[in-house]
Amino acid sequence: MFVDRHRIELTPKARRSCSRCHGDGGWWVGGAFPEMEACGCWSDRRELRIRLLPIPAWRDEPPF
């Protein structure tokens, strides 16, 4: 998760209770040059990005 003044980003993570990857997010396949194959417990979910509306600038003095 990433948050700043302009947006909130939610990224999927591997489930700790996954029976295929056991929370590692994938496994290594291949021979001399192995590559990581991503587990579907997190790779099939999409990343969400929520844009925040701009807020007006704060006044220097309170309105009362």
Side-chain angles (χ1 to χ4, degrees):
M1 183 165 89
F2 174 78
V3 178
D4 70 3
R5 180 181 175 131
H6 306 286
R7 68 188 172 277
I8 299 172
E9 292 183 14
L10 301 172
T11 55
K13 291 187 175 183
R15 285 186 284 146
R16 288 182 254 166
S17 62
C18 180
S19 61
R20 293 176 63 198
C21 70
H22 306 287
D24 292 333
W27 47 89
W28 294 100
V29 295
F33 301 103
E35 294 183 0
M36 185 171 185
E37 184 174 331
C39 183
C41 72
W42 70 272
S43 66
D44 294 340
R45 294 185 283 166
R46 29 177 255 198
E47 180 177 302
L48 298 175
R49 187 173 293 160
I50 303 168
R51 295 185 74 193
L52 301 176
L53 296 174
I55 58 171
W58 293 102
R59 297 181 182 180
D60 291 338
E61 299 179 9
F64 47 87

